Protein backbone atom coordinates (compact mmCIF):
# COMPACT_ATOMS: atom_id res chain seq x y z
CA UNK A 1 0.00 0.00 0.00
CA UNK A 2 2.99 2.31 -0.11
CA UNK A 3 5.87 3.23 -2.39
CA UNK A 4 9.29 3.95 -0.97
CA UNK A 5 11.67 5.88 -3.22
CA UNK A 6 15.32 5.31 -2.49
CA UNK A 7 18.78 5.29 -3.99
CA UNK A 8 18.53 8.54 -5.85
CA UNK A 9 19.71 12.06 -5.15
CA UNK A 10 18.43 15.54 -6.02
CA UNK A 11 20.20 18.88 -6.37
CA UNK A 12 18.19 22.02 -7.10
CA UNK A 13 19.41 25.58 -7.75
CA UNK A 14 17.10 28.57 -7.68
CA UNK A 15 17.63 32.36 -7.64
CA UNK A 16 14.78 32.82 -5.14
CA UNK A 17 13.44 30.99 -2.10
CA UNK A 18 9.79 30.44 -3.09
CA UNK A 19 10.20 27.21 -5.07
CA UNK A 20 12.76 25.93 -2.57
CA UNK A 21 10.23 26.42 0.24
CA UNK A 22 7.80 24.06 -1.51
CA UNK A 23 10.47 21.38 -1.84
CA UNK A 24 11.34 21.82 1.84
CA UNK A 25 7.68 21.23 2.74
CA UNK A 26 7.65 17.95 0.79
CA UNK A 27 10.95 16.82 2.31
CA UNK A 28 9.74 17.68 5.80
CA UNK A 29 6.52 15.75 5.23
CA UNK A 30 8.51 12.63 4.35
CA UNK A 31 11.11 13.24 7.06
CA UNK A 32 13.87 13.54 4.47
CA UNK A 33 17.11 15.31 5.45
CA UNK A 34 18.06 18.25 3.24
CA UNK A 35 21.25 20.24 2.71
CA UNK A 36 19.89 23.80 2.46
CA UNK A 37 22.56 26.23 1.30
CA UNK A 38 21.24 29.76 1.70
CA UNK A 39 23.24 32.99 2.28
CA UNK A 40 20.37 34.33 4.41
CA UNK A 41 20.34 31.30 6.73
CA UNK A 42 22.85 31.49 9.60
CA UNK A 43 22.64 27.69 9.95
CA UNK A 44 23.49 27.02 6.31
CA UNK A 45 26.15 24.35 5.71
CA UNK A 46 29.27 25.49 3.93
CA UNK A 47 30.86 24.86 0.54
CA UNK A 48 34.49 24.90 1.59
CA UNK A 49 36.45 23.08 -1.16
CA UNK A 50 39.12 22.16 1.39
CA UNK A 51 36.68 19.55 2.74
CA UNK A 52 38.19 16.94 0.39
CA UNK A 53 40.75 14.64 2.01
CA UNK A 54 43.36 14.62 -0.73
CA UNK A 55 45.47 17.79 -1.15
CA UNK A 56 45.74 16.99 -4.86
CA UNK A 57 41.96 16.67 -5.21
CA UNK A 58 41.50 19.99 -3.41
CA UNK A 59 44.02 21.76 -5.63
CA UNK A 60 42.38 20.45 -8.81
CA UNK A 61 38.87 21.30 -7.60
CA UNK A 62 39.80 24.87 -6.63
CA UNK A 63 41.72 25.57 -9.84
CA UNK A 64 38.82 24.16 -11.88
CA UNK A 65 36.34 26.42 -10.09
CA UNK A 66 38.44 29.58 -10.26
CA UNK A 67 39.39 29.06 -13.91
CA UNK A 68 35.73 28.52 -14.74
CA UNK A 69 34.76 31.69 -12.91
CA UNK A 70 37.27 34.08 -14.42
CA UNK A 71 36.96 32.53 -17.88
CA UNK A 72 33.20 33.11 -17.73
CA UNK A 73 33.19 36.58 -16.20
CA UNK A 74 36.47 38.43 -16.47
CA UNK A 75 37.85 37.15 -19.78
CA UNK A 76 41.22 38.66 -18.96
CA UNK A 77 43.34 35.53 -19.19
CA UNK A 78 43.68 34.62 -22.85
CA UNK A 79 47.31 33.53 -23.10
CA UNK A 80 48.11 29.86 -22.65
CA UNK A 81 51.28 30.48 -20.66
CA UNK A 82 49.59 32.88 -18.26
CA UNK A 83 46.76 30.41 -17.66
CA UNK A 84 49.20 27.57 -17.01
CA UNK A 85 51.18 29.65 -14.52
CA UNK A 86 48.12 30.91 -12.68
CA UNK A 87 46.68 27.40 -12.48
CA UNK A 88 49.96 26.05 -11.13
CA UNK A 89 50.08 28.80 -8.52
CA UNK A 90 46.50 28.18 -7.37
CA UNK A 91 46.94 24.41 -7.18
CA UNK A 92 50.27 24.61 -5.34
CA UNK A 93 48.86 27.16 -2.90
CA UNK A 94 45.84 24.94 -2.23
CA UNK A 95 48.15 22.01 -1.43
CA UNK A 96 50.32 24.18 0.79
CA UNK A 97 47.31 25.44 2.76
CA UNK A 98 45.73 21.98 3.08
CA UNK A 99 48.95 20.51 4.45
CA UNK A 100 50.19 23.34 6.67
CA UNK A 101 47.17 25.31 7.90
CA UNK A 102 45.71 22.53 10.11
CA UNK A 103 49.16 21.90 11.61
CA UNK A 104 49.45 25.55 12.61
CA UNK A 105 45.82 26.10 13.72
CA UNK A 106 44.80 23.14 15.88
CA UNK A 107 43.43 21.07 13.00
CA UNK A 108 41.16 23.77 11.51
CA UNK A 109 40.40 23.65 7.79
CA UNK A 110 41.84 26.43 5.64
CA UNK A 111 39.37 28.33 3.47
CA UNK A 112 39.16 30.60 0.43
CA UNK A 113 39.72 33.72 2.53
CA UNK A 114 43.08 32.29 3.61
CA UNK A 115 43.88 31.65 -0.05
CA UNK A 116 42.90 35.20 -1.04
CA UNK A 117 45.08 36.65 1.72
CA UNK A 118 48.02 34.60 0.47
CA UNK A 119 47.46 35.76 -3.12
CA UNK A 120 47.34 39.37 -1.94
CA UNK A 121 50.34 39.04 0.38
CA UNK A 122 53.05 36.71 -0.90
CA UNK A 123 54.97 37.00 2.38
CA UNK A 124 52.34 34.74 3.97
CA UNK A 125 53.18 32.07 1.41
CA UNK A 126 56.88 32.45 2.15
CA UNK A 127 56.18 32.01 5.86
CA UNK A 128 54.18 28.81 5.27
CA UNK A 129 56.96 27.43 3.08
CA UNK A 130 59.56 28.07 5.76
CA UNK A 131 57.36 26.28 8.29
CA UNK A 132 57.03 23.33 5.92
CA UNK A 133 60.80 23.13 5.51
CA UNK A 134 61.17 22.56 9.25
CA UNK A 135 59.64 19.11 8.77
CA UNK A 136 62.19 16.97 6.94
CA UNK A 137 59.58 14.53 5.62
CA UNK A 138 57.38 17.32 4.22
CA UNK A 139 60.40 19.12 2.80
CA UNK A 140 61.31 16.05 0.76
CA UNK A 141 57.74 15.20 -0.27
CA UNK A 142 56.97 18.73 -1.48
CA UNK A 143 60.40 19.68 -2.77
CA UNK A 144 59.12 20.78 -6.19
CA UNK A 145 56.30 22.80 -4.66
CA UNK A 146 58.74 24.63 -2.38
CA UNK A 147 61.02 25.38 -5.34
CA UNK A 148 58.08 26.84 -7.26
CA UNK A 149 57.18 29.20 -4.43
CA UNK A 150 60.80 30.19 -3.84
CA UNK A 151 61.11 31.20 -7.48
CA UNK A 152 57.77 32.97 -7.83
CA UNK A 153 56.51 34.11 -4.39
CA UNK A 154 59.52 34.89 -2.21
CA UNK A 155 60.61 38.48 -1.67
CA UNK A 156 63.07 39.58 -4.39
CA UNK A 157 62.46 36.36 -6.35
CA UNK A 158 62.80 36.56 -10.12
CA UNK A 159 59.20 35.62 -10.89
CA UNK A 160 57.31 37.52 -8.19
CA UNK A 161 56.33 40.58 -10.26
CA UNK A 162 54.94 38.44 -13.08
CA UNK A 163 53.20 36.06 -10.70
CA UNK A 164 51.29 38.94 -9.08
CA UNK A 165 49.86 39.67 -12.53
CA UNK A 166 49.14 36.03 -13.32
CA UNK A 167 46.99 35.47 -10.21
CA UNK A 168 45.14 38.80 -10.41
CA UNK A 169 42.09 37.30 -12.16
CA UNK A 170 41.69 34.58 -9.55
CA UNK A 171 42.10 37.13 -6.77
CA UNK A 172 39.42 39.34 -8.30
CA UNK A 173 36.98 36.45 -8.45
CA UNK A 174 37.64 35.52 -4.83
CA UNK A 175 37.02 39.13 -3.79
CA UNK A 176 33.68 39.15 -5.63
CA UNK A 177 32.62 35.89 -3.99
CA UNK A 178 33.64 36.90 -0.48
CA UNK A 179 32.30 40.45 -0.63
CA UNK A 180 28.90 39.44 0.75
CA UNK A 181 28.77 38.22 4.39
CA UNK A 182 26.29 35.38 3.80
CA UNK A 183 28.24 33.99 0.86
CA UNK A 184 31.52 34.37 2.74
CA UNK A 185 30.16 32.40 5.69
CA UNK A 186 29.24 29.54 3.34
CA UNK A 187 32.44 29.46 1.30
CA UNK A 188 34.73 29.91 4.31
CA UNK A 189 33.05 27.50 6.73
CA UNK A 190 35.69 25.51 8.62
CA UNK A 191 33.44 23.03 10.42
CA UNK A 192 30.16 22.17 8.66
CA UNK A 193 30.37 21.59 4.91
CA UNK A 194 28.57 19.71 2.16
CA UNK A 195 30.77 16.96 0.76
CA UNK A 196 29.67 16.45 -2.85
CA UNK A 197 31.40 13.07 -3.07
CA UNK A 198 29.21 11.80 -0.23
CA UNK A 199 26.10 13.66 -1.45
CA UNK A 200 26.32 11.80 -4.77
CA UNK A 201 27.20 8.46 -3.21
CA UNK A 202 24.44 8.62 -0.59
CA UNK A 203 21.71 10.12 -2.76
CA UNK A 204 21.32 13.28 -0.67
CA UNK A 205 18.97 16.20 -1.34
CA UNK A 206 20.80 19.53 -1.73
CA UNK A 207 19.07 22.87 -2.33
CA UNK A 208 20.93 26.07 -3.23
CA UNK A 209 19.31 29.51 -3.13
CA UNK A 210 21.52 32.11 -4.84
CA UNK A 211 19.36 35.04 -3.65
CA UNK A 212 19.68 37.09 -6.82
CA UNK A 213 17.45 39.83 -5.42
CA UNK A 214 19.63 40.28 -2.33
CA UNK A 215 23.11 39.63 -3.75
CA UNK A 216 22.71 41.24 -7.14
CA UNK A 217 23.31 39.70 -10.56
CA UNK A 218 27.12 39.46 -10.37
CA UNK A 219 27.38 37.79 -6.96
CA UNK A 220 24.39 35.52 -7.69
CA UNK A 221 26.09 34.34 -10.88
CA UNK A 222 29.50 33.81 -9.27
CA UNK A 223 27.98 31.99 -6.27
CA UNK A 224 25.85 29.67 -8.40
CA UNK A 225 28.68 28.96 -10.80
CA UNK A 226 31.02 28.21 -7.90
CA UNK A 227 28.50 25.66 -6.62
CA UNK A 228 28.06 24.04 -10.05
CA UNK A 229 31.77 23.78 -10.74
CA UNK A 230 32.55 22.38 -7.30
CA UNK A 231 29.81 19.82 -7.81
CA UNK A 232 31.15 19.14 -11.32
CA UNK A 233 34.50 18.05 -9.96
CA UNK A 234 32.80 15.38 -7.83
CA UNK A 235 30.52 14.26 -10.67
CA UNK A 236 33.39 13.69 -13.08
CA UNK A 237 35.38 11.60 -10.58
CA UNK A 238 32.42 9.47 -9.37
CA UNK A 239 33.57 5.91 -8.66
CA UNK A 240 31.78 2.97 -10.22
CA UNK A 241 30.06 2.70 -13.59
CA UNK A 242 26.71 3.46 -15.21
CA UNK A 243 25.15 0.41 -13.57
CA UNK A 244 26.45 0.92 -10.04
CA UNK A 245 26.23 4.71 -9.58
CA UNK A 246 23.14 6.00 -7.76
CA UNK A 247 21.05 8.19 -10.13
CA UNK A 248 21.20 11.88 -9.33
CA UNK A 249 18.90 14.58 -10.68
CA UNK A 250 20.11 18.16 -11.12
CA UNK A 251 17.60 20.98 -11.62
CA UNK A 252 18.81 24.48 -12.53
CA UNK A 253 16.32 27.34 -12.64
CA UNK A 254 17.26 30.29 -14.90
CA UNK A 255 20.23 28.36 -16.27
CA UNK A 256 21.48 31.00 -18.79
CA UNK A 257 23.00 32.95 -15.87
CA UNK A 258 25.55 30.13 -15.54
CA UNK A 259 26.11 29.35 -19.21
CA UNK A 260 29.81 29.19 -20.11
CA UNK A 261 32.40 26.76 -21.42
CA UNK A 262 32.89 25.32 -17.93
CA UNK A 263 29.25 24.15 -17.74
CA UNK A 264 29.17 22.42 -21.15
CA UNK A 265 30.06 19.14 -19.45
CA UNK A 266 26.64 19.14 -17.75
CA UNK A 267 25.09 18.33 -21.14
CA UNK A 268 27.86 16.29 -22.78
CA UNK A 269 29.23 14.15 -19.95
CA UNK A 270 26.93 14.07 -16.92
CA UNK A 271 24.58 11.32 -18.12
CA UNK A 272 27.59 9.02 -18.41
CA UNK A 273 27.99 9.52 -14.64
CA UNK A 274 24.24 8.98 -14.05
CA UNK A 275 23.39 12.62 -13.41
CA UNK A 276 20.28 13.75 -15.28
CA UNK A 277 19.81 17.49 -15.72
CA UNK A 278 16.72 19.65 -16.16
CA UNK A 279 17.16 23.37 -16.92
CA UNK A 280 14.81 26.27 -17.49
CA UNK A 281 15.31 29.31 -19.71
CA UNK A 282 13.05 32.21 -20.64
CA UNK A 283 13.97 32.14 -24.33
CA UNK A 284 16.13 30.18 -26.75
CA UNK A 285 18.00 33.41 -27.48
CA UNK A 286 19.37 33.35 -23.94
CA UNK A 287 21.12 30.05 -24.67
CA UNK A 288 22.86 31.57 -27.69
CA UNK A 289 23.67 34.95 -26.16
CA UNK A 290 27.26 34.01 -25.26
CA UNK A 291 27.83 31.71 -28.22
CA UNK A 292 25.56 29.95 -30.71
CA UNK A 293 27.67 26.86 -30.06
CA UNK A 294 26.29 26.58 -26.50
CA UNK A 295 22.72 26.71 -27.79
CA UNK A 296 23.48 23.92 -30.26
CA UNK A 297 25.18 21.82 -27.60
CA UNK A 298 22.23 22.12 -25.22
CA UNK A 299 19.42 21.62 -27.74
CA UNK A 300 21.23 18.64 -29.30
CA UNK A 301 21.89 16.89 -25.98
CA UNK A 302 18.56 17.61 -24.26
CA UNK A 303 16.31 15.00 -25.82
CA UNK A 304 13.19 16.09 -23.92
CA UNK A 305 11.97 19.63 -24.53
CA UNK A 306 8.94 21.40 -23.11
CA UNK A 307 7.72 24.77 -24.43
CA UNK A 308 4.86 26.73 -22.89
CA UNK A 309 4.27 29.08 -25.81
CA UNK A 310 4.36 32.86 -25.74
CA UNK A 311 7.52 33.09 -27.84
CA UNK A 312 8.12 35.45 -30.72
CA UNK A 313 7.76 34.44 -34.37
CA UNK A 314 11.36 33.35 -34.86
CA UNK A 315 11.30 31.11 -31.79
CA UNK A 316 7.93 29.65 -32.68
CA UNK A 317 9.30 28.77 -36.13
CA UNK A 318 12.28 27.04 -34.49
CA UNK A 319 10.02 25.01 -32.21
CA UNK A 320 7.81 24.08 -35.18
CA UNK A 321 10.80 22.62 -37.03
CA UNK A 322 12.17 21.00 -33.86
CA UNK A 323 8.92 19.18 -33.10
CA UNK A 324 8.43 18.23 -36.77
CA UNK A 325 5.22 17.05 -38.46
CA UNK A 326 2.82 14.37 -37.31
CA UNK A 327 1.02 12.31 -39.98
CA UNK A 328 -2.21 10.45 -39.21
CA UNK A 329 -3.66 7.59 -41.29
CA UNK A 330 -7.28 8.02 -42.43
CA UNK A 331 -9.01 4.79 -43.38
CA UNK A 332 -12.06 4.38 -45.58
CA UNK A 333 -13.98 1.82 -47.65
CA UNK A 334 -16.61 2.18 -50.35
CA UNK A 335 -20.24 1.00 -50.25
CA UNK A 336 -21.41 -1.22 -53.11
CA UNK A 337 -25.10 -0.40 -53.73
CA UNK A 338 -25.61 -3.44 -56.01
CA UNK A 339 -24.36 -5.86 -53.37
CA UNK A 340 -25.81 -3.84 -50.52
CA UNK A 341 -22.63 -3.96 -48.50
CA UNK A 342 -19.28 -2.24 -47.95
CA UNK A 343 -16.24 -3.25 -49.93
CA UNK A 344 -13.96 -5.56 -47.96
CA UNK A 345 -10.87 -3.61 -49.04
CA UNK A 346 -9.87 -0.54 -47.04
CA UNK A 347 -8.14 2.53 -48.51
Amino acid sequence: DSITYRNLGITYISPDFESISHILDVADNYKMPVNLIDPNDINSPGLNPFIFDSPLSISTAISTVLKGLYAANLKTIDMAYVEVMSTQAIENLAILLKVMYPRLHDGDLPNLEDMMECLNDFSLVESLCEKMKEDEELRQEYKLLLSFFKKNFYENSSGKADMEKYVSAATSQLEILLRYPGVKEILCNRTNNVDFDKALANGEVTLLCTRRGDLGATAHQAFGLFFLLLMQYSVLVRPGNEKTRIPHFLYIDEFPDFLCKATEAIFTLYRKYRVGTTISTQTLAQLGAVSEKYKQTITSNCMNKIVFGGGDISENEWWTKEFGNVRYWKFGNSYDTDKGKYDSKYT
Side-chain angles (χ1 to χ4, degrees), residues 24-41:
L24 287 172
D25 287 342
V26 175
D28 181 63
N29 188 56
Y30 286 99
K31 303 297 184 289
M32 296 171 63
V34 174
N35 302 316
L36 174 60
I37 303 170
D38 179 5
N40 285 9
D41 185 351

Side-chain angles (χ1 to χ4, degrees), residues 139-156:
R139 185 170 59 152
Q140 292 301 320
E141 182 177 356
Y142 296 104
K143 181 165 60 175
L144 294 178
L145 180 144
L146 291 169
S147 297
F148 174 84
F149 284 125
K150 186 174 183 179
K151 180 180 178 180
N152 296 289
F153 278 74
Y154 275 44
E155 189 67 27
N156 301 321

Side-chain angles (χ1 to χ4, degrees), residues 4-60:
T4 302
Y5 294 95
R6 61 184 177 183
N7 295 338
L8 61 88
I10 295 173
T11 297
Y12 175 62
I13 303 173
S14 174
D16 58 68
F17 195 75
E18 182 181 4
S19 57
I20 285 179
S21 68
H22 299 318
I23 299 174
L24 287 172
D25 287 342
V26 175
D28 181 63
N29 188 56
Y30 286 99
K31 303 297 184 289
M32 296 171 63
V34 174
N35 302 316
L36 174 60
I37 303 170
D38 179 5
N40 285 9
D41 185 351
I42 59 174
N43 297 314
S44 173
L47 292 174
N48 187 343
F50 286 95
I51 189 66
F52 297 114
D53 293 329
S54 166
L56 185 59
S57 296
I58 292 167
S59 67
T60 305

